[in-house]
Amino acid sequence: MEQASGDILAFHHVAIIASDYQRSRHFYVDVLGFTVLAENFRAERNSWKCDFRIGNSQIELFSFPDAPARTSRPEACGLRHLAFCVKDIGATVQRLAEHGVECEPIRTDPYTGRLFTFFSDPDELPLELYET
């Protein structure tokens, strides 16, 4: 990875709040194949926190009682989606379909010529597969 200019070196993690912690944990671990680094129940906040690793990236999954729903569609300002690199997008889409995860049709990025598609996590957070 090329060194960024300035003090910021790279992304450390992305945080996600789930409406149903166990359902989302299953999705990220059992369906997407992320590795659990740590998992803790924070009694004082009545909240779970699970740290996942995938490649060089990390995701924190949280649960909070009564968290408001995220606006996903129509697209709202803020973080648009998370994109994951895959070697074979067709095989990954097929594996997701076997778990009941529906992906949009595979498209070609007009600027890079790479294949990509979108799907959603259990709370409709937009996720992208990008073939590298």
Side-chain angles (χ1 to χ4, degrees), residues 7 9 12 95 111 131:
D7 295 331
L9 303 176
H12 182 265
R95 193 174 65 73
Y111 302 105
E131 191 172 84

Side-chain angles (χ1 to χ4, degrees), residues 103-123:
C103 294
E104 293 180 1
I106 296 171
R107 296 179 276 168
T108 302
D109 185 319
Y111 302 105
T112 66
R114 303 281 184 166
L115 299 176
F116 70 99
T117 188
F118 287 93
F119 64 108
S120 297
D121 86 345
D123 286 306

